[in-house]
Amino acid sequence: MTVSESDFDVVVIGAGAAGLAAALSAVEQGCTRVLISEATSVVGGSSRLAGGVVMGSGSRLQQKAGIDDDPSDLFKEYMSLNHWDVAAGPVKRLTARSGETIDWLADRGVKFFDRLIFGGDERKPRSHCVDGGGQSLVNALSAACRSAGVDIALGHRVDQLLTDGDKVTGVIAEGETITADAVVIATGGFGANPELLQKYFPSSWTADWTWYIGADGSRGDAIGFAEQLGAQLTGFDRGLRTLDPHFAKLNEAFLPGWTILLDSSGRRFCDETAPYGILDTLVRARGNRAFVVFDDAALRPPAESADRYRDCYKQVWPNHPPFRPKNYTADLVDENVATGRAKSARDLPALAEAIGVPAETLEGEVHRYNTLAANGEDTDFGKAGKFLLPLSTAPFYAVEVRPATVNMTSCGLRIDEKARVLRHDGAAIDGLFAAGECTGGILGETYMGSGNSLANACGFGRIAGEEAAHAARSGAAS
Ligand SMILES: Cc1cc2nc3c(=O)[nH]c(=O)nc-3n(C[C@H](O)[C@H](O)[C@H](O)COP(=O)(O)OP(=O)(O)OC[C@H]3O[C@@H](n4cnc5c(N)ncnc54)[C@H](O)[C@@H]3O)c2cc1C
């Protein structure tokens, strides 16, 4: 489509959560001519597909729920969980404004549930759940953008950035040249681009196995812009992967509590109900391969314990129906046993042989687990007692899983705490800002938990929009 004008204060590339937050913030900072150029025919990108959980510390909702929290605690936990291997300056700014960003979203029509959840392994509940998920968040922000006068051009993919010397002066989209005082890149990740996944997120890649759950527009166009401008990329091989049994492309963020997870040598190594970001990191440390093991009682539970087998998830989200197994159901497992993808055996030594681990190890681990289950306490890895069900009903099953479901990518443009994009020589590129999944260095080796990425998209979207507005008004970022 053609846009109404060819000169804007701020052009935002991409209409996901980051782009919408950036555009709205630019208007709120006094810009009157703001354009969002969106490649696809819909607003929302991966943001609209999201569960709609947003992490934030110090929000009004937390206070209302009586949760005494402070953004500096979030910053400390963020840094510890990531072994300080993230960009501390930008992360500090993001976390400092994270609660205020939840309030900002709520004030612009995003409806959150009162009840907060634990998104990962944090000490206090900080994950805010949007009623209606990511689509509702996007709807509220795009409605706010439209009523603030933001021009949203759909089917308008930006191919190139316009430059004048070292300064970015606009974009070229669908053959149209559009000038701007400042440009915000908010093009999302590269999960839909197999070549870029192999190059920048190789640990997610297993040929004929890896798949992406996000939007088609996540083609990694920001990486092309980086090449054009000599901008830095950071966050190599980072992103969020969930464990996939290679059955039917069903994303299953959490494992059912009645499974045990074994490494390639047949050893159990964690609480199977751990947050998905933690499971991702643990499996990465074990060669990106593991086995999910369970027994027939889990697939066809006896009537008297059906409830225990059904309610097998630690996580209960107010904006989501109760989690239930997707892949690990009798129908899908039977189907995949028939094709050889899942292994089944009458006894544990035969199962061990089928998956190539020592029989003694597998038998020993199951025996040990069954003893823990009988005692009602997982003294090895701390799984809650209610999930401890013995693996004692033949046949037994084992499914090889890989962290091959790509949820999001976090290698991208390096930005500073003002969302300015940095060149190879370390200088901020004049007139250029970036936010959300197209950036790197903010999300670390371990996904903090549900809400980490939308907090980044909304939080840095706001910062990028504000800074772009300042740049547009003054000719340089404040
Ligand atoms: C199924 C699913 C569930 C998730 N659930 C959660 C959750 O509950 N909480 C959480 O924190 N995170 C969640 N995530 C991750 C999170 O949703 C994303 O990381 C985040 O929304 C990314 O926001 P963004 O604005 O950076 O990118 P996107 O929302 O992907 O938006 C980028 C936009 O840019 C457009 N674009 C790309 N290139 C161009 C171009 N050249 N020109 C113009 N437009 C372009 C795209 O079409 C897209 O619309 C989930 C992800 C998925 C896939």
Side-chain angles (χ1 to χ4, degrees):
M1 81 176 266
T2 308
V3 296
S4 55
E5 303 180 42
S6 59
D7 181 47
F8 287 84
D9 298 331
V10 175
V11 169
V12 177
I13 313 173
L20 293 165
L24 190 54
S25 298
V27 174
E28 291 178 355
Q29 292 298 314
C31 291
T32 50
R33 297 169 311 143
V34 176
L35 169 71
I36 302 180
S37 185
E38 164 55 46
T40 68
S41 58
V42 285
V43 169
S46 289
S47 305
R48 77 188 169 85
L49 307 176
V53 182
V54 194
M55 180 183 77
S57 174
S59 67
R60 290 194 306 255
L61 275 165
Q62 264 192 328
Q63 286 160 23
K64 189 174 157 199
I67 301 162
D68 180 22
D69 196 15
D70 189 288
S72 63
D73 289 340
L74 170 57
F75 175 67
K76 280 187 200 139
E77 287 181 33
Y78 202 119
M79 298 306 289
S80 309
L81 195 65
N82 286 297
H83 308 291
W84 280 79
D85 196 4
V86 284
V91 167
K92 190 161 206 169
R93 183 133 194 237
L94 176 70
T95 51
R97 295 191 64 182
S98 61
E100 177 214 314
T101 292
I102 301 286
D103 299 345
W104 182 87
L105 290 168
D107 291 341
R108 277 140 196 87
V110 177
K111 198 166 172 302
F112 290 98
F113 283 94
D114 285 343
R115 186 166 80 76
L116 283 86
I117 61 168
F118 287 95
D121 190 35
E122 64 275 22
R123 290 196 202 116
K124 293 172 182 168
R126 296 196 177 105
S127 289
H128 300 69
C129 300
V130 177
D131 188 355
Q135 184 69 64
S136 287
L137 183 143
V138 162
N139 290 349
L141 285 183
S142 62
C145 278
R146 287 184 201 281
S147 61
V150 172
D151 202 344
I152 302 181
L154 299 176
H156 205 251
R157 183 178 183 179
V158 171
D159 310 305
Q160 209 184 319
L161 300 178
L162 271 182
T163 53
D164 180 4
D166 282 346
K167 182 172 164 46
V168 171
T169 53
V171 301
I172 300 177
E174 308 293 330
E176 281 184 80
T177 297
I178 299 163
T179 53
D181 295 324
V183 171
V184 177
I185 302 175
T187 49
F190 54 87
N193 185 327
E195 274 174 32
L196 293 183
L197 279 178
Q198 288 171 73
K199 187 167 177 188
Y200 293 105
F201 196 9
S203 67
S204 73
W205 188 259
T206 305
D208 297 327
W209 198 323
T210 297
W211 65 289
Y212 174 56
I213 64 168
D216 293 344
S218 309
R219 285 175 296 230
D221 288 1
I223 291 176
F225 300 147
E227 283 162 6
Q228 185 201 336
L229 297 175
Q232 291 184 49
L233 293 177
T234 186
F236 176 73
D237 207 22
R238 286 184 180 168
L240 174 64
R241 316 160 309 164
T242 42
L243 300 181
D244 184 58
H246 205 12
F247 284 178
K249 294 200 167 149
L250 294 169
N251 181 36
E252 190 147 20
F254 307 106
L255 286 175
W258 37 254
T259 59
I260 61 170
L261 189 62
L262 306 180
D263 67 15
S264 295
S265 71
R267 290 269 173 242
R268 185 170 176 239
F269 57 92
C270 67
D271 169 358
E272 290 77 8
T273 65
Y276 45 80
I278 304 279
L279 279 184
D280 178 1
T281 302
L282 290 171
V283 171
R284 182 189 283 259
R286 285 160 181 77
N288 291 313
R289 183 171 179 254
F291 294 100
V292 175
V293 175
F294 45 94
D295 72 350
D296 203 61
L299 298 182
R300 287 165 267 268
E304 64 278 12
S305 47
D307 288 354
R308 278 194 76 191
Y309 281 99
R310 193 194 56 220
D311 297 324
C312 53
Y313 295 93
K314 186 157 68 180
Q315 293 76 8
V316 180
W317 293 7
N319 64 347
H320 195 283
F323 289 102
R324 298 280 182 249
K326 292 182 187 169
N327 290 292
Y328 306 100
T329 63
D331 285 351
L332 266 183
V333 171
D334 289 347
E335 201 178 291
N336 283 280
V337 166
T339 64
R341 176 83 274 292
K343 306 298 178 195
S344 157
R346 298 302 309 170
D347 56 40
L348 293 170
L351 191 69
E353 191 183 345
I355 61 171
V357 303
E360 183 191 33
T361 310
L362 179 62
E363 269 192 301
E365 288 296 337
V366 172
H367 176 71
R368 187 171 174 82
Y369 183 78
N370 287 348
T371 307
L372 299 173
N375 294 335
E377 189 181 4
D378 179 3
T379 48
D380 283 349
F381 298 106
K383 182 152 81 176
K386 66 178 178 176
F387 300 123
L388 296 174
L389 289 153
L391 276 65
S392 52
T393 307
F396 300 96
Y397 302 90
V399 185
E400 182 182 347
V401 288
R402 302 277 178 102
T405 304
V406 175
N407 286 232
M408 56 144 323
T409 58
S410 31
C411 174
L413 298 165
R414 181 173 171 209
I415 54 170
D416 68 7
E417 82 291 354
K418 292 184 175 180
R420 296 180 295 200
V421 177
L422 302 182
R423 260 198 328 244
H424 285 300
D425 65 6
I429 298 173
D430 203 6
L432 188 64
F433 303 83
E437 209 181 307
C438 66
T439 64
I442 315 293
L443 271 70
E445 190 180 274
T446 300
Y447 195 72
M448 287 289 293
S450 310
N452 195 168
S453 191
L454 277 175
N456 178 37
C458 297
F460 260 111
R462 291 181 67 209
I463 294 168
E466 291 164 5
E467 297 292 342
H470 293 165
R473 288 206 319 262
S474 64
S478 60

